[in-house]
Amino acid sequence: MTVEYVDAGEAIDQGTLSGKVAGGDVAPAVVHGVNHERILNAQAEPQNWLTYYGAYNGQRYSPLDQINTDNVKRIGPAWVFQAGMTGLIAGASTYSFEAAPIVVDGVMFLSGWDGWVWALDAKTGTEIWRYKHAVPFDVSLCCGNVNRGVAVAAGKVYVVTANAHVLALDATTGERVWDKTYGDVRAGESATVAPLVVKDKIIVGSSGGEFGVRGHLDAFDLETGEHQWRCYTVPKPGEPGSETWPADGEAWARGGANCWVTGTFDPETNLLYVGTGNPAPDFDGGVREGDNLYTDSIIAVDVDTGQIRWHYQCTPHDVWDYDSIGECILFESDGRKLLGHFDKNGYFFVVDRTDGALVQITPFVDRIDWGAITRDGTVTPRRYPDKEGDPVHFWPGPAGAKEWTHAAYSPKTGLFYVPVQDVGATATRRRREFRESIPYWGAGVQVDLDDMAGSISAFDAKGDEQWRWRNELPMCASVLATGGDLVFAGEPSGEFNALDARTGELLWQFQCGSGHHSSPTTYLVDGRQYVAVPVGWGGWAEGFLPGMLGAGHGSALITFALPET
Amino acid sequence: MTTVQERIDLLNKLGLDAQNKAALGQVLGTGDIGQATEKADGGLKATIRIRPDKISWDPSILVMPHGGDIELELINDDMNTHCALLPSNGDRKFIWLVNHSRGRATLNLDGPGYYWYSSPTGNDEGRGLTGAIVVLGDVPPEARLDRPDQPRP
């Protein structure tokens, strides 16, 4: 006798099983009015954090001052959002919570690892909606299951996925509006960058520099997702810059220079300022003789056409993995339009952002022995993997004196605040044949497990160090500067700190339970200032702090505020 | 060293592909492999079962010829209750599968690549109710790098 099956029905969205109340899964239409003009004037609405760096200038500065040096010792957790991790995900050992929370009129938009995007009530932490992109387990991660944040405009939330898609989600419901593929996962490409909205475009860059890809930026139409332009950061033979690659062979085709960190934008020059990644193979320069443009460079890109207008290369012919993806902070000094950039190679570059002319260069970490750069910008390599099988130790290691995590600049104090990593490494050149989708380092690499240090260091625009807050461990998270004369900075061991922006004195500290590798932001709702920090140790820890590879991973967003009166 | 055909025999001989033989559960990735079929409208469909006392998906590896939408029929022939949490763009899909039940799921997946899914309840995931959906194909031509074809492994 045949027994009829019980009808189990249709599978449902897992998010419906998360305690949501009817009607609570639709966000107010706060993003419908966000456009280029509002982002351009983001500093006029300090209650919001409208774009990745808070403003196009990349300063990561908020004028909010409700929380200040006098009262910061009284702040405490206001709410915590925890996502957790279930199932088997790509690079489960490398996931990390790296985002910069975006806030618009009381709604927070946040990305996580493995394709997660959330809209939260910024006052209570209650989840409004979630979007989960299905990320292949076998995607080539470069270099962890991470995502650095979303962009918002035109009623949409924009995010990239580890399998190199860029998505537009409806900001009220989280439903997908359009979905474009802009990288080839079979070539080892991926995506981690927080998109940037400029005019009617969404700008994204590719990841994959450790797999021998050819880096690029792409622009898509905000509304339709139609592709607008692609800017390759390694020239083809015959194009400007191609003379810096071997004339024979295909080294250029595997050259790297990925733009895996968000750029900044100046409306007066109409230029995007973007840092490019390392050349490939990272440590074997013998297969790619020449300066290898535009790797390890600051490039200025016409936002309308995607054309590179000028460049400044921080580490020509890099063989230390010194990406120049660090942020390009735009500021003015003595009437000049300048750009400040803390590079992985240990030097703080200031260039004229109208033409890329070098203004000054200063070391910002104590130990630099890979080479030296003189004040006129002349680079002299000293210690590098050259002979096959010969180990070479150098400082800084491949994670750099500052990783991708961001410095901040306070126009109020005139100081830059930089998270410093003083860690060395040993690389042994091991030449290998290129194979598409296989890591292409050209060396065995071991980052030091001891003899390391870190700091938050404050520099003025002339490159003079004004103060230093020292830490036993390298500092691996973005800092945030505020109008309350505070600098917020998280530690790998979980402490979240508030420093006096003028002296570096530690004024407040809270143990968050997991290491920091994200970009905290601040905002105001109903007259109350919040500081929000994603907490979740992980990522490419073997590269920047292997001594903390055994530390617990977290997955919490914690917000802090003064007590309600 | 084994040949491909020997692999099946060796898995069986060692008891890697069954419950409470070599290990406690069926080792992941040792079950059957199946392919989705293409409908006239280009959409894909497949059936996945849980057979009595197997605590594993059949097939445990489902292959889609390309990315896009797939309609799954999920059948629990077991005498225990299970469930399924499946990958899909937008949100993961969940379905409860009581003893001797049949349900449906519609997934949207990108290709190429593969995804794990499971029965995220009790002992199910480790015992063998963790399966894979493999999506074949390439990314769209416009997403590929402008460079000569490169050697692959």
Side-chain angles (χ1 to χ4, degrees), chain A residues 309-367:
Chain A
R309 297 300 184 206
W310 60 255
H311 72 276
Y312 185 92
Q313 190 172 37
C314 299
T315 313
H317 192 68
D318 172 19
V319 282
W320 305 268
D321 193 12
Y322 288 156
D323 304 66
S324 290
I325 41 66
E327 65 288 335
C328 299
I329 299 175
L330 312 186
F331 70 107
E332 282 71 41
S333 182
D334 298 330
R336 296 185 73 178
K337 295 169 72 68
L338 302 177
L339 181 160
H341 168 83
F342 294 90
D343 199 89
K344 282 173 75 173
N345 69 16
Y347 287 88
F348 173 36
F349 295 81
V350 176
V351 301
D352 185 318
R353 70 175 182 266
T354 65
D355 58 9
L358 179 66
V359 174
Q360 68 177 49
I361 181 168
T362 315
F364 66 91
V365 66
D366 288 343
R367 293 182 290 192

